[in-house]
Amino acid sequence: MNDRQHASVEDFHSYVLVTGANSGLGYAICCRLIDEFILTRAGSHSLRMIITTRDKTKSHDTVAKLKDHIFRTRKHHKVHEKTPLVPKIYLQSEQVDLCQLRSVQTLIKKLFRSLPKLDTVILNAGLGGFAGVDWPLAIWALLTNFRQEMTYPTFKLGGVGDLTAPQLSEPASSGAKSSQLGQVFCSNVFGHYLLVHGIATLLSNSSATSGRVIWISSLEAYGSTFSIDDIQGLSSPLAYESSKRLTDILALTSRLPITQQWVDRFLPPPSNHRPPKQYVAHPGICATNILPIYWILVYVMTAAFYLARWIGSPWHTTTSYKGACAPVWLALASQEELDAIEGDGGAGKWGSAIDWQGDERASRTEVQGWGIGGKVGDNVGLPKNSRLREAEDLTEEGKERFALMGRSCWQAMEQLRVEWEELLREEDD
């Protein structure tokens, strides 16, 4: 008997979906979510966590690891599973390949069959698309500007023009240029975009004030890496950075009047609830396998991360568990708390920051063209030593350009969504 058979709908209170949960940051988000839910929620509460991986083997292994983690957490805090004062945790595993739109559609159908609602979706899964490291440049950059290069590296090598497998069994119609999509774009942005649109009703059914969509971004979402004329990043050697810049733009402009025409098509406003709210977070800099390097260099990289933290970097969380701080905080904070913070400081990008002693916290993060909350002249809450060297203070003109870019991005994403949904529907017919 699996976990979804152990409890009725009435037993569950919080429903959280995490994509890419089998390793790295995704797995850490699951672990931290479990830990903080157990420690901060009353026994009358329960968490149903839906984890996605790309295949059944990974799902099985991840569920086994998470069950062991739940056991160890309860043992550490000396609580028993059947203690009435302890919240219950239920796990549900699903499979999805975000680079295959059919797979995304299949997941959407499964979620509607098995869930009454979703309170939070954490869009973590993704690809780096990195080919390696430019070692001569890396050595020179780190020797001449260590902390900046450890935070905002310029020496990673990315693939150019990487594509998904064909999305259609037959050649695309004349209205579509190709039956393939940019691989990094599809995995990091578009697959998630289709998923969230498809489950919008579940998010609108949230018993909380509103459902939450938490996009996972990066410190490397540089403004210079993205072009609306190449929204999939197919011509860029920085497809990963381009996808994360697009993520920032979509999330941060999702509540602006200038984008509402398109956002309302993406997440249709429910008649009896507040529409889901979109947030963006990043894990700081932690050691994961997203960059393909030899295993011995992982230890060197990790040591360098600790050194960067000790000399003043606020972003080197180093471990995935500490990197999960900001996304989990966004998932569990009350809506009143988030609304109050953003009411004072504006909608912003939340990052997992850390001090030299290793104490982590959720912190505001500067975004090129948006500042830390879309408010000109406001740098309150910006961690010391956190800025990109080329960063400039926000101006009214810069903010207006960012908003216009947001409108263009939302329009382009909606047009792409409608186009692909029509192509898939035509093939089914």
Side-chain angles (χ1 to χ4, degrees), residues 113-238:
R113 287 197 298 265
S114 63
L115 302 176
K117 65 167 185 170
L118 271 169
D119 296 298
T120 302
V121 177
I122 303 178
L123 306 175
N124 163 77
L127 296 173
F130 299 116
V133 173
D134 183 336
W135 288 109
L137 177 58
I139 293 169
W140 172 253
L142 292 172
L143 288 175
T144 56
N145 198 0
F146 180 77
R147 188 170 63 198
Q148 184 77 191
E149 288 291 333
M150 286 300 298
T151 308
Y152 305 103
T154 60
F155 46 78
K156 292 191 291 186
L157 300 175
V160 179
D162 293 338
L163 297 170
T164 65
Q167 304 291 336
L168 306 171
S169 57
E170 299 293 333
S173 66
S174 57
K177 295 180 180 179
S178 171
S179 66
Q180 296 170 284
L181 288 158
Q183 186 180 47
V184 174
F185 165 78
C186 194
S187 176
N188 295 2
V189 185
F190 193 57
H192 281 135
Y193 191 90
L194 287 188
L195 173 62
V196 172
H197 173 75
I199 59 175
T201 302
L202 291 176
L203 285 162
S204 297
N205 289 343
S206 172
S207 57
T209 307
S210 61
R212 296 177 196 171
V213 178
I214 302 173
W215 294 87
I216 300 300
S217 183
S218 168
L219 279 170
E220 298 174 57
Y222 315 128
S224 61
T225 63
F226 177 76
S227 170
I228 188 63
D229 297 324
D230 184 24
I231 196 170
Q232 298 189 42
L234 288 173
S235 302
S236 172
L238 302 171

Side-chain angles (χ1 to χ4, degrees), residues 77-92:
H77 295 287
K78 299 180 180 179
V79 295
H80 191 272
E81 180 180 6
K82 296 183 179 180
T83 302
L85 298 179
V86 178
K88 294 178 174 58
I89 310 293
Y90 301 92
L91 303 175
Q92 175 178 330

Side-chain angles (χ1 to χ4, degrees), residues 123-125 184-185 187-190 192-193 213-218 221 226 231 239-254 278-282 349 367 402 409-410 413:
L123 306 175
N124 163 77
V184 174
F185 165 78
S187 176
N188 295 2
V189 185
F190 193 57
H192 281 135
Y193 191 90
V213 178
I214 302 173
W215 294 87
I216 300 300
S217 183
S218 168
F226 177 76
I231 196 170
Y240 172 80
E241 293 84 347
S242 172
S243 73
K244 295 305 180 181
R245 176 64 173 179
L246 176 59
T247 297
D248 285 1
I249 294 171
L250 292 173
L252 293 173
T253 63
S254 62
Q278 300 183 61
Y279 299 90
V280 61
H282 71 84
K349 181 177 180 177
V367 175
F402 191 87
C409 289
W410 275 107
M413 291 294 290

